[in-house]
Each structure stands twice: as C-alpha cells, then as structure tokens.
Amino acid sequence: MATGRTHRPATRSRGIPEATVARLPLYLRALTALSERSVPTVSSEELAAAAGVNSAKLRKDFSYLGSYGTRGVGYDVEYLVYQISRELGLTQDWPVVIVGIGNLGAALAGYGGFASRGFRVAALIDADPAMTGKPVAGIPVQHSDDLEKIINEDGVSIGVIATPAGVAQQVCDRLVAAGITSILNFAPTVLSVPDGVDVRKVDLSIELQILAFHEQRKAGEETSAEEGPDAGAEPEAAAVAPPAPRGATGSTGRKGPDGDVPAVMPA
C-alpha cells in the first residue's frame, strides 16, 4: 500500500471547489452507513437528507467527480464509497503523529475511526519525560526530543497538535521543518504556517460558544412567544399638553432674564 508522503489527493488539480471537498466526508459517512446496512442504491434526495445538504447541491458536487447516477435508480452506494474514498485519498495509508498526550491526545489516540478511514496513528509524542514509554491505546509514547527523527523514520504524513496553546506554534514549526505539510490543530490558538502547508483547526470551546448563542436566541424567542405579540413594544407616548400661552410659566420652565420661560415654546 502506498504511503501518504509520496502521494497527494488529486482534488485541487482536478479543480474541485473547496466547499465541495468539505462536504465529501459528509457524503462518505452517510454512504458508509448505507453500505453497512447492505443498501445497494440511494437517490440523491435520500442521500442529501442523510448528509444534511440539499439534493441540488449534492448533484452538483457529484458532477465534479464525474458521477451522475442513473435516472430512476439513483447512485450505486458501493461505487460512490470507493469513488469518494479515492478522491479524498483514503485508499492510501496516511501515517499520523499526535503531539501532546494529555486527556485530549489520549482520546484521539484511542479513536477507532482513524484506522477504518485510512489513517494510521504511527506515533504519540509528549514533552513530559514521565510519559515516555507509557503505552496509550497500545502505542508507547515517545519524547518530543525525537520528533524529527520519528517523522522521518515513520514516513508521517499528517501532524495532529493537541498541546497547550503556549507551545502549539513551536510544535507546528518543528512539524513543518520536518516536512509535514498537513496539520490538524486542536490547540486553542491560531497557527502561522508558510504557503503550501494546510491547517485545519478544531476548537471545541468555539463550537460550544456558537451553540450557546443559538440556545440563548431560542430562549429569547420562546420568551417573546409566551409574553404575546405586544411583548417588548414601546409604551404609548404620554399625552402632550398644549403649549402654554405666551408669557405663561410652568414648573418645567427655566429661568430667563425676563422671568420664567416655558419648557416648550409656542409657535
């Protein structure tokens, strides 16, 4: 099986839009579920609903792959699984290194979905000497001093950063210097990388904040509905008394050189 260091996906050279590339894993996940249930074919409407997109967008995306389905039959599930997997490069072996084996890094190391999708966790790396040699998900942790050596010897294709924010850029720089051009960043910071290096950022706290925004908005809408259609309406303006006759005084007036001046002067 070919390794990822010598093969790159053909999506860019074939002109597939980045938005379409971002949706291909959604289609693949839905198709894989259908395949596991031994479903032979699927319509664009059914697959679009399973992937959370509209059917017109799905058909447009598949046209970039040269797949148009069969009228009255739909798409062949197994063929689409293969076609999308090949387009994403998942028919190859992609060795991955995870740097930072705290709670998150350890959880990533034990995630079974990597292997089933063509990603092999080749190495786990941490700066803590106490972690060196400790097995996590069956893989012994190695010290960060050997990062460059590990990447070269294992032919690592993708680097995963699960370190604290303060050291993430330093780790990123070392990965790039060692030849890594694809990085998945879980550290809560923005990484600076040279041209030709792809970084995908996963920030769980940001996603939770976005969900909190939507929860707050939904709560506000429910409150408004309970209070009725007039809730929040501006109160009716107080009746305005007719202007006082010229020269009259009032408690709201101000003192002028010729006596009290009404607060509202008549025309």
Side-chain angles (χ1 to χ4, degrees):
M1 181 178 290
T3 60
R5 293 299 293 276
T6 57
H7 294 78
R8 306 291 293 179
T11 53
R12 292 180 180 175
S13 61
R14 290 178 54 174
I16 298 179
E18 287 294 329
T20 296
V21 174
R23 287 189 289 270
L24 291 182
L26 303 179
Y27 302 141
L28 182 59
R29 181 175 61 189
L31 286 163
T32 300
L34 293 171
S35 176
E36 291 172 350
R37 287 159 38 204
S38 300
V39 176
T41 59
V42 62
S43 69
S44 59
E45 289 79 11
E46 292 170 332
L47 182 54
V53 303
N54 65 64
S55 57
K57 184 174 292 183
L58 178 143
R59 288 191 292 269
K60 180 67 173 178
D61 289 342
F62 283 2
S63 71
Y64 291 110
L65 307 180
S67 185
Y68 299 93
T70 303
R71 184 178 296 276
V73 176
Y75 294 92
D76 184 289
V77 171
E78 291 298 334
Y79 178 69
L80 267 184
V81 168
Y82 166 74
Q83 192 175 27
I84 294 177
S85 296
R86 182 184 62 184
E87 199 65 43
L88 290 173
L90 305 185
T91 55
Q92 303 170 188
D93 175 40
W94 296 98
V96 175
V97 61
I98 300 176
V99 185
I101 313 303
N103 292 334
L104 178 57
L108 293 171
Y111 176 53
F114 287 146
S116 64
R117 289 167 175 79
F119 301 97
R120 175 174 58 86
V121 179
L124 305 177
I125 298 176
D126 198 274
D128 184 359
M131 291 289 295
T132 302
K134 180 180 178 180
V136 174
I139 304 172
V141 177
Q142 302 181 67
H143 195 270
S144 58
D145 287 348
D146 299 322
L147 175 64
E148 290 79 6
K149 177 183 176 182
I150 293 166
I151 289 173
N152 289 324
E153 289 183 352
D154 293 340
V156 174
S157 305
I158 298 171
V160 178
I161 297 177
T163 66
V167 298
Q169 184 63 57
Q170 178 185 353
V171 170
C172 175
D173 292 342
R174 291 181 64 186
L175 289 173
V176 171
I180 297 295
T181 56
S182 294
I183 296 172
L184 182 60
N185 177 35
F186 283 90
T189 187
V190 176
L191 299 176
S192 176
V193 296
D195 291 341
V197 176
D198 294 314
V199 176
R200 299 290 296 183
K201 180 172 175 56
V202 181
D203 193 320
L204 302 180
S205 65
I206 286 179
E207 299 304 323
L208 286 172
Q209 289 172 54
I210 293 172
L211 288 176
F213 165 80
H214 289 295
E215 282 299 309
Q216 177 177 257
R217 186 176 65 176
K218 285 184 286 187
E221 291 172 349
E222 291 172 358
T223 301
S224 297
E226 292 172 358
E227 292 177 349
D230 296 330
E234 290 292 335
E236 293 185 7
V240 179
R246 190 177 301 274
T249 61
S251 60
T252 57
R254 56 185 173 84
K255 197 72 173 178
D258 299 321
D260 290 333
V261 179
V264 179
M265 294 296 293

